[in-house]
Amino acid sequence: MMTDHLCLKTVLLGLVLSLVAGCSRSQEYPNRPITLVVPWAAGGGTDRCSRQMAAHLEQELGEHVNAVNATGGKGVTGHNRGLGARPDGYTLLMATLELSMMHWSGLTDLTYEDCVPLMSINEDYAALFVRHDAPWKTLGELEQAIRDNPGSLKASGTSSGGAWHLALAGWLMAGGFDVDDVVWISSTGSNPSLQELISGGVDMVCCSLPEAAALLEGGKVRTIGVMSPQPVAGYEEVPTFVSQGRDWSLGGWRALVLPPGTPQPVVDKLKTAVRRIVTGETAIVSGGSAAEGTPSIQTFPEFMDAAGFDRTWREGDELQTFFAETDEKFGVLLTSDAMKSVNTERFNSMTWPAVLMGLIGLTLVALVATHFAKGKTPVTDVPETVAKADSTETAQEPISRQLTGRGVLNFALIVGGIVAYCLTVEKVGFPIAAGGLLLVLLLSLRTRVSVGVLVTVATVPLMWQLFAGLLRVPLPRGDWGF
Amino acid sequence: MQAIGQVFAGQTLLVILAAAAYGIFVGAIPGLTATMAVALMVPLTFFLNDVQAVAAIVTTVTCSIFAGDIPATLVRIPGTPASAAYASDSYALTLKGQHERALSISLVFSVIGGLFGTLTLCVAAPQLATFATQFTSYEYFWLYILGLTCAAIVSDESRLKGALALLIGLLFSTVGLGTDYSVPRLTFGSDDLITGINFIPAMIGLFGLSEVLRNALAIGRGDGDAAPLAPPPVESTGEGDPTTEWPGTLQFAVRRKFSLLRSSVIGSVVGMLPGAGADIAAWIAYAVSKRFSRNPEQYGKGSVEGIGDATGANNAALGSAWIPALVFGIPGDSVTAIAIGVLLMKNITPGPDIFDASKDPAQAALVFSIYVTFVLANLILLPLGWAAIRGGNLLVRIPRRILLPLIVLFCVIGSYALNGSYFDVTVMTVMGVFGFILELFGVPLAPIVLGLILGGEVEHKFLQCITKDSSPATFLASPVSIALAVICLALWAAPVAKTLLKGKSNIPT
């Protein structure tokens, strides 16, 4: 017991000291890790830009900047997360053009007006790709083919109603076609679409130039044109739609934004940092190539060029006007009668779930029927050694015999504890919420109080270090900053 | 030659060692997937040179996919989804005190499978890539149907219950805003549900939390709150030192050489198809293993054959996932998607020319260094994996009343860490209670996870197919489609054939 107590005191002292040390840090923004919310999956274009931006920001601000992918719901999830966060400058969002689209299709109320824009860092225009052996060389030839056989060609690139689908639809409408004259095959992104293209599943893919760079360079696909006002830097040989007589352009953008209500000094500080980054005034050490030896220094624009991304940047009023223009363009497209007729589903979205529910019902009926037919639950004969372990594993005995007051209490405390954790953690912070949860559960399972406290005090800071420090997975912080 | 020199440079070896330790560590934490391990590492690769960056990614993935077996075995929470297929088997062995046996088999079979996948990558990447790119939505549709078939037939103890679990998983996968529809489904007005049900927190809840809840109820009955999860090792299996397991494990691997080869081939083939990865490979290998096994009744209750075959396949899939990535720049899985990003950043553009030393010696050397790293990563996994198994040995000795609360905390953080979302924690909790209830009725949990993983894909591919052409005949238009359909049919029909052959224990092949 003596040693127990001594040990406990030392650990507690250590914890208090580390807390004090934590509080004595600079009060000026930023003084703790910053989270950059990325609404798209790891490995994609937005993710790559964001992680590079995070590395530069980190150097510029002197605090960790962690990129977190919050994916799903066609971008709704991430944008909601980023713009709904506490407006203290510790959560940034890499917004994408879906912010100008989602509200038109009624997926969310968020618009570009619900954020504090810092700077747009990139604009990638839609381009049209066909297989290398496709019969059409120019936009004119392709349009003639569509005119001759409307509805026979298939295109893909993103989900139905996604940005690249709208780009294609806008082109068709500008050319006087029906939106359905090219059948859009919904897909989960540019990679699976390009796979479909080279395997012959679709005839053309609409996506940005860097997304298809590898296949383009390998000669597997060709471009018909890019939907930009001017030729794209790095792809000067690709003709624009405008130069081929079709006045249509549409591009995606990525912009760093903050939740509304962020204090002006924080916004200004971040703006200065981001401006320095996009103009190439900052640099991070880059390993370069093993064959060439010495590591080099890379600026953000150098990275964007190397990865094939456009690096047009806009800020202030220019950015606001740009946002407003894109938003209007999408509004016209998404509310047009032609697009509405495409958006009404080809297939009823509830058919498949209904079929599944029907099958589940049938299976349940069959299970009940077999149960009564046999009079009891069928017990398969298994070798004895297996059967012994199995009796604890599948809990064959009736539930009523398993229930004891304590057991039910334990059960309820675990479930209730997790719920309580979720409800309080944003207020009190991870250490207190997790410590409370752990201690309550330890005690409810009849661990001695001293052991319980010791385990809690030892584990929670360790987990904090492990996730927030070592793995840099941001854990929730409360109102008191930890 | 230059490539070997680059890989064996002191600094690169150090990077590999660090990445291996990191990979094991992250893979062993439930909720942190191999993809996440690599994504978290991307900022570090900025500072490494190209060979080191690729070496770090390759090693991290190899080690984390094995390490996912560790929590799956010890506390029945698959560390990565690739371990879900055989989590029940390896955990059953832990309850019998044989966790070291399970884990050393996992380790050895992972390494052999991984080396086979590397061999596939080295020998036939350009040729195989051409095959892989012939897959259109029709072939993928059949591949996913094959995956679902496998999930249904592995639980043939009560086929109805297995089917029920699978259907529940498929139904869960329809929740939210899908690719093909502009309106969310089954969200009941909740904004959170628009995202859908993420299978990682669902998996942690179904397997991990439900087991904690079951144990917590049992503790109330007074039996064994101070007892650890696993009973002390049975005498015949040695004194708790995993080194005594090695001779037995190696003998076992030699005895299972043909099935190991079969699993490795399955893993390599599934792995190189973009959109199918280590997790589906593990399922298919597990189901095929069961079909051809002489002891199919042990599957799901601690079958070392099932563990070995499935874990070999998921590691074999890792190497071949690089095939389409390197040849066409189309990633075979989410990890290689990140890897392509890193390669592009280092001014290396994947493409058929990347293998041609006469065109660009530096790139060809880099590709060669990927092969060398894969071999090294698998070899370094042996000692480090062994150390991790020893560490896990301590875990199962912790009394339950301390271990269970710690597992609860890990379930909470693990499900939160993935997306930084409390909704995911809620999903984990609800699935925990749901899984607990299902297990009371003897419904297997693993098919739910596969239903969740594949449900969206199978519906999406089906819709793609019928948007292209509404005639059903197109589903069987290509030889690959027909072959996959026939395999599905054979897997369903095999038990019937078995009955017709009057209970011969071995299926004629």
Side-chain angles (χ1 to χ4, degrees):
Chain A
M1 262 337 255
M2 262 314 277
T3 49
D4 244 27
H5 269 286
L6 206 64
C7 206
L8 189 68
K9 272 181 193 160
T10 331
V11 175
L12 274 176
L13 189 70
L15 185 74
V16 169
L17 280 179
S18 66
L19 276 180
V20 171
C23 291
S24 66
R25 274 197 287 182
S26 145
Q27 291 301 308
E28 205 179 312
Y29 173 86
N31 60 11
R32 58 182 170 87
I34 296 168
T35 301
L36 173 59
V37 177
V38 185
W40 305 98
T46 307
D47 179 70
R48 279 158 58 199
C49 290
S50 303
R51 284 180 197 275
Q52 185 77 21
M53 176 54 86
H56 281 274
L57 269 177
E58 186 164 313
Q59 203 181 44
E60 202 53 20
L61 299 172
E63 273 293 342
H64 284 176
V65 180
N66 305 315
V68 173
N69 304 95
T71 58
K74 295 183 182 169
V76 174
T77 309
H79 285 93
N80 268 337
R81 181 90 50 81
L83 297 181
R86 206 177 304 171
D88 53 7
Y90 289 100
T91 310
L92 276 75
L93 168 70
M94 185 64 85
T96 59
L97 83 159
E98 277 72 11
L99 187 58
S100 323
M101 290 169 44
M102 297 181 301
H103 67 102
W104 290 111
S105 25
L107 291 175
T108 170
D109 297 333
L110 289 178
T111 71
Y112 71 95
E113 283 165 339
D114 296 308
C115 68
V116 180
L118 282 174
M119 194 171 292
S120 72
I121 57 155
N122 148 270
E123 280 160 33
D124 276 323
Y125 286 90
L128 203 56
F129 299 90
V130 294
R131 261 187 312 284
H132 67 101
D133 54 357
W136 326 286
K137 303 279 182 233
T138 62
L139 189 62
E141 287 175 33
L142 181 59
E143 287 188 348
Q144 190 55 48
I146 298 170
R147 212 167 283 128
D148 291 344
N149 271 312
S152 67
L153 292 181
K154 301 172 198 86
S156 188
T158 183
S159 62
S160 173
W164 303 141
H165 181 196
L166 293 184
L168 186 102
W171 156 55
L172 290 174
M173 283 159 74
F177 293 97
D178 211 18
V179 180
D180 276 333
D181 284 352
V182 173
V183 180
W184 186 264
I185 308 291
S186 175
S187 104
T188 47
S190 56
N191 274 325
S193 311
L194 290 166
Q195 154 89 15
E196 280 284 327
L197 179 67
I198 57 173
S199 64
V202 295
D203 304 292
M204 61 191 109
V205 161
C206 184
C207 66
S208 72
L209 285 163
E211 284 172 311
L215 285 172
L216 202 56
E217 213 155 292
K220 280 277 165 182
V221 301
R222 276 191 292 118
T223 51
I224 291 291
V226 57
M227 304 180 192
S228 64
Q230 283 94 34
V232 177
Y235 299 92
E236 284 82 2
E237 74 288 356
V238 178
T240 63
F241 272 45
V242 181
S243 73
Q244 299 184 73
R246 191 59 65 211
D247 186 19
W248 170 247
S249 68
L250 192 121
W253 49 262
R254 301 185 173 101
L256 272 174
V257 302
L258 287 162
T262 312
Q264 197 55 42
V266 172
V267 178
D268 291 340
K269 179 150 193 180
L270 283 169
K271 252 187 192 161
T272 319
V274 178
R275 196 180 302 126
R276 278 173 55 78
I277 292 168
V278 296
T279 52
E281 286 173 54
T282 63
I284 53 174
V285 180
S286 159
S289 135
E292 285 154 24
T294 49
S296 56
I297 289 191
Q298 200 183 36
T299 64
F300 187 74
E302 278 167 4
F303 158 79
M304 295 294 271
D305 287 344
F309 290 113
D310 163 272
R311 53 184 175 84
T312 315
W313 58 273
R314 300 170 199 256
E315 62 174 338
D317 290 342
E318 194 198 349
L319 182 56
Q320 282 294 348
T321 325
F322 175 66
F323 275 171
E325 277 171 7
T326 345
D327 204 73
E328 200 193 316
K329 205 178 224 173
F330 279 119
V332 170
L333 263 177
L334 281 164
T335 51
S336 68
D337 290 338
M339 262 331 266
K340 272 187 182 155
S341 70
V342 171
N343 270 344
T344 47
E345 255 69 59
R346 257 168 238 277
F347 313 99
N348 188 334
S349 65
M350 287 308 287
T351 313
W352 171 236
V355 167
L356 287 173
M357 281 189 250
L359 285 173
I360 289 177
L362 273 179
T363 320
L364 283 174
V365 169
L367 273 172
V368 173
T370 45
H371 183 79
F372 281 107
K374 293 191 180 172
K376 62 184 174 76
T377 328
V379 181
T380 39
D381 52 340
V382 279
E384 257 178 46
T385 44
V386 180
K388 195 167 174 287
D390 209 40
S391 62
T392 52
E393 174 69 9
T394 48
Q396 295 283 347
E397 47 188 323
I399 315 165
S400 54
R401 235 198 296 164
Q402 291 199 327
L403 292 182
T404 61
R406 259 211 100 68
V408 174
L409 181 70
N410 287 339
F411 192 105
L413 272 175
I414 292 177
V415 177
I418 299 175
V419 173
Y421 169 91
C422 287
L423 291 178
T424 57
V425 70
E426 279 290 319
K427 280 260 160 246
V428 301
F430 172 79
I432 294 179
L437 172 69
L438 195 57
L439 193 62
V440 167
L441 293 185
L442 282 167
L443 297 183
S444 82
L445 295 179
R446 289 187 180 154
T447 311
R448 266 189 320 205
V449 180
S450 59
V451 178
V453 172
L454 196 69
V455 170
T456 309
V457 169
T459 317
V460 173
L462 192 74
M463 288 221 182
W464 176 273
Q465 271 308 316
L466 194 78
F467 280 87
L470 202 63
L471 296 177
R472 305 187 45 182
V473 174
L475 290 176
R477 283 167 189 268
D479 290 343
W480 304 306
F482 61 83
Chain B
M1 286 312 105
Q2 188 195 5
I4 295 180
Q6 282 168 7
V7 173
F8 283 93
Q11 236 186 344
T12 311
L13 283 179
L14 216 62
V15 168
I16 291 180
L17 189 68
Y22 167 77
I24 289 188
F25 185 70
V26 176
I29 297 177
L32 301 189
T33 58
T35 311
M36 195 169 175
V38 174
L40 288 172
M41 209 173 55
V42 166
L44 289 178
T45 61
F46 297 158
F47 306 106
L48 303 173
N49 70 35
D50 47 5
V51 171
Q52 290 165 346
V54 170
I57 293 176
V58 165
T59 315
T60 305
V61 182
T62 306
C63 293
S64 61
I65 292 290
F66 157 72
D69 292 353
I70 298 176
T73 306
L74 298 178
V75 291
R76 206 182 67 160
I77 310 177
T80 69
S83 309
Y86 47 94
S88 315
D89 283 281
S90 44
Y91 183 66
L93 287 175
T94 300
L95 291 180
K96 290 184 221 162
Q98 297 179 13
H99 48 275
E100 279 149 5
R101 179 151 170 250
L103 282 174
S104 47
I105 287 174
S106 281
L107 180 58
V108 170
F109 279 60
S110 289
V111 169
I112 299 175
L115 289 173
F116 186 90
T118 314
L119 192 72
T120 321
L121 172 67
C122 305
V123 174
Q127 295 85 334
L128 286 175
T130 313
F131 166 74
T133 50
Q134 285 171 2
F135 271 58
T136 66
S137 51
Y138 297 104
E139 286 81 11
Y140 277 112
F141 172 74
W142 284 110
L143 180 73
Y144 295 139
I145 290 289
L146 176 62
L148 294 175
T149 303
C150 288
I153 63 164
V154 291
S155 47
D156 69 356
E157 185 191 343
S158 165
R159 206 164 288 227
L160 271 178
K161 288 177 180 171
L164 179 68
L166 187 64
L167 289 169
I168 292 173
L170 289 174
L171 184 64
F172 283 159
S173 78
T174 63
V175 174
L177 183 60
T179 318
D180 305 275
Y181 303 103
S182 51
V183 281
R185 293 184 290 187
L186 299 174
T187 55
F188 308 104
S190 150
D191 278 350
D192 287 322
L193 276 173
I194 286 184
T195 318
I197 298 175
N198 193 321
F199 65 88
I200 305 267
M203 184 178 79
I204 295 176
L206 282 171
F207 284 106
L209 190 67
S210 71
E211 180 65 12
V212 171
L213 291 172
R214 204 174 60 71
N215 270 293
L217 265 187
I219 279 183
R221 282 185 295 171
D223 49 328
D225 35 351
L229 271 179
V234 193
E235 269 170 42
S236 62
T237 64
E239 266 97 81
D241 179 0
T243 43
T244 58
E245 297 288 349
W246 292 124
T249 306
L250 289 177
Q251 271 171 20
F252 182 69
V254 172
R255 204 164 65 236
R256 304 270 311 161
K257 54 188 176 295
F258 291 116
S259 59
L260 188 53
L261 180 70
R262 183 185 62 212
S263 306
S264 301
V265 170
I266 293 174
S268 303
V269 171
V270 176
M272 74 185 172
L273 301 171
D279 31 9
I280 302 174
W283 275 100
I284 295 182
Y286 184 83
V288 172
S289 170
K290 180 174 181 177
R291 266 290 159 263
F292 289 105
S293 171
R294 292 184 189 177
N295 314 304
E297 75 284 348
Q298 283 179 11
Y299 281 66
K301 301 195 192 85
S303 163
V304 283
E305 299 172 3
I307 298 173
D309 286 351
T311 196
N314 66 23
N315 276 64
L318 301 179
S320 61
W322 285 75
I323 294 175
L326 287 176
V327 181
F328 294 118
I330 294 181
D333 57 11
S334 42
V335 169
T336 41
I338 302 175
I340 289 179
V342 173
L343 287 178
L344 288 170
M345 200 176 66
K346 303 286 181 196
N347 279 329
I348 296 157
T349 313
D353 294 345
I354 203 170
F355 299 94
D356 194 344
S358 60
K359 287 196 178 144
D360 189 341
Q363 292 210 343
L366 181 82
V367 172
F368 197 74
S369 72
I370 295 178
Y371 304 158
V372 180
T373 320
F374 256 114
V375 174
L376 266 185
N378 277 297
L379 294 181
I380 210 169
L381 180 57
L382 276 174
L384 285 181
W386 176 80
I389 295 175
R390 294 240 57 175
N393 214 359
L394 298 175
L395 189 73
V396 289
R397 300 221 173 125
I398 300 175
R400 267 178 223 225
R401 60 185 175 199
I402 295 179
L403 186 62
L404 295 182
L406 287 176
I407 298 178
V408 171
L409 193 58
F410 254 102
C411 289
V412 171
I413 305 180
S415 48
Y416 175 83
L418 182 77
N419 255 337
S421 147
Y422 297 104
F423 176 67
D424 281 348
V425 183
T426 316
V427 167
M428 187 274 297
T429 316
V430 172
M431 287 294 173
V433 176
F434 185 60
F436 169 81
I437 295 168
L438 286 182
E439 283 215 308
L440 286 181
F441 294 99
V443 177
L445 300 176
I448 302 183
V449 177
L450 196 75
L452 260 173
I453 295 178
L454 285 186
E457 284 297 328
V458 85
E459 185 191 4
H460 172 62
K461 291 295 177 196
F462 179 75
L463 287 175
Q464 273 195 334
C465 295
I466 53 173
T467 317
K468 282 184 196 166
D469 192 334
S470 51
S471 118
T474 51
F475 277 90
L476 290 172
S478 86
V480 182
S481 297
I482 295 172
L484 286 168
V486 167
I487 296 173
C488 288
L489 206 67
L491 283 170
W492 282 109
V496 183
K498 218 171 173 181
T499 329
L500 290 179
L501 287 165
K502 299 241 165 183
K504 282 208 173 175
S505 62
N506 216 348
I507 316 167
T509 56

